[in-house]
């Protein structure tokens, strides 16, 4: 449920907020969402679904937060790249 509802919504809000802070107009924001939202959500699924399966199946409970933060660090690097990619 988190990945199906929250992830696409968060990514859309992230791209929109970043565009507003960069001073982009509504046409540019819509173009960014049309061009990059779907591929970023798919990448999100391809990263987080396997990462969380590994986390809950193989990572000891006391290291699960550390593992999720480690994956999240690289996800945030990618999200920053995707958000700042020129359309």
């Amino acid at each position: 449920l988190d990945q199906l509802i929250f992830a696409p919504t968060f990514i859309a809000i992230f791209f929109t907020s970043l565009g507003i802070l960069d001073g982009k107009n509504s046409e540019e924001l819509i173009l960014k969402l049309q061009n990059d939202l779907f591929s970023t959500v798919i990448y999100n699924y391809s990263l987080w679904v396997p990462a969380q399966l590994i986390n809950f199946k193989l990572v000891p409970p006391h290291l699960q937060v550390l593992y999720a933060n480690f994956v999240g660090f690289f996800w945030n690097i990618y999200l920053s790249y995707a958000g700042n990619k020129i359309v």
Side-chain angles (χ1 to χ4, degrees):
L1 189 60
D2 171 56
Q3 288 297 317
L4 291 175
I5 295 171
F6 179 71
T9 303
F10 170 76
I11 293 168
I13 291 169
F14 176 79
F15 283 162
T16 303
S17 300
L18 191 60
I20 290 169
L21 291 172
D22 284 342
K24 295 185 178 172
N25 60 39
S26 59
E27 292 87 20
E28 292 172 313
L29 296 174
I30 291 169
L31 186 61
K32 177 68 173 173
L33 292 172
Q34 288 173 340
N35 288 339
D36 293 338
L37 181 62
F38 182 75
S39 62
T40 305
V41 170
I42 295 300
Y43 185 74
N44 174 75
Y45 293 154
S46 69
L47 174 71
W48 280 109
V49 172
Q52 290 296 57
L53 288 172
I54 291 168
N55 194 19
F56 294 125
K57 293 287 184 185
L58 302 176
V59 178
H62 69 282
L63 295 175
Q64 288 179 350
V65 172
L66 179 63
Y67 173 80
N69 285 333
F70 180 77
V71 175
F73 174 75
F74 291 102
W75 166 248
N76 286 328
I77 291 171
Y78 173 78
L79 194 57
S80 178
Y81 164 76
N84 288 292
K85 187 169 58 170
I86 298 173
V87 179

